[in-house]
Amino acid sequence: MFILKIILGIVLVLLILLLLLLFLLLVCKTCVHIVREQNKDMNIWIKFGALRIKTYPFGKSKGKINTQTHNETPRFDNDFSPKELDLSWCFELALDIIDSLKDKLYIDKLYFTLIIASDNAAKTGIILGTAFSVSGMIIPILKQNFNIKDESIILDADFDDNKTKFSLDLIAHTRIIQVLFVAFKYRKQLFKLYQNIK
């Protein structure tokens, strides 16, 4: 009889923990902060309530991020030279993720600056035109599907330089269960993308 009470007690504790976990997944929100500032590499933080974890590069954050003031656009200095990626594949993946998070993701801040440059002025102009056409497709989709509170998107070209530069400051939040669902659904594609940009 005593052993039965212990077993029932353990089952009850496990059930309470399971219900608490389910509550956290369904109700609690998680916040993602992606930032690339002047003279710094890209950093990604995930925040669960008071807990803030640095997820890229791996390791915990040692301090607060020194972000720009509310009305400033991000600054850029670092050169951006990713490995070869199929851009159409990247855009398709981005659109699929956007569709999966429709009406479930809230964007608090989106500051993005892209300065295109190459070793050929004509090539730079073509890339800039392509970037404008892509942003003309992506930005309306973002605005239609998500509530964006603060936004600044700048696309430009530097014909005196030969390397493309960009800066990004993105803060978005959603429920934890949605993040896990999307991460699991697109786990192979996200891992492939991570391998190409790390």
Side-chain angles (χ1 to χ4, degrees), residues 1-16:
M1 189 67 177
F2 179 71
I3 294 175
L4 184 61
K5 286 182 179 179
I6 291 176
I7 293 172
L8 287 174
I10 292 172
V11 169
L12 183 62
V13 169
L14 290 175
L15 186 60
I16 291 170

Side-chain angles (χ1 to χ4, degrees), residues 52-144:
R52 189 172 181 218
I53 302 169
K54 190 173 186 180
T55 56
Y56 183 86
F58 292 108
K60 289 189 177 179
S61 172
K62 293 184 178 178
K64 292 184 178 179
I65 314 168
N66 182 22
T67 56
Q68 297 83 17
T69 60
H70 188 68
N71 293 325
E72 291 179 351
T73 54
R75 297 167 295 177
F76 51 87
D77 261 2
N78 298 11
D79 292 332
F80 176 54
S81 53
K83 297 179 183 178
E84 288 299 318
L85 277 175
D86 182 356
L87 290 180
S88 63
W89 178 85
C90 289
F91 289 130
E92 184 179 339
L93 175 61
L95 290 173
D96 287 343
I97 291 174
I98 287 170
D99 187 57
S100 296
L101 289 171
K102 183 176 180 179
D103 300 323
K104 298 165 186 169
L105 180 72
Y106 302 90
I107 299 174
D108 303 309
K109 182 179 183 183
L110 175 57
Y111 288 175
F112 179 72
T113 301
L114 176 65
I115 305 298
I116 296 168
S118 70
D119 52 359
N120 183 299
K123 182 181 176 183
T124 301
I126 292 169
I127 296 171
L128 180 62
T130 304
F132 272 118
S133 65
V134 168
S135 69
M137 292 184 292
I138 295 288
I139 293 170
I141 292 172
L142 287 174
K143 289 182 177 179
Q144 182 180 2

Side-chain angles (χ1 to χ4, degrees), residues 10 13 24 37 57 60 167 172 185 195:
I10 292 172
V13 169
L24 290 174
E37 296 183 46
K60 289 189 177 179
S167 61
K185 185 177 180 181
Q195 285 182 316

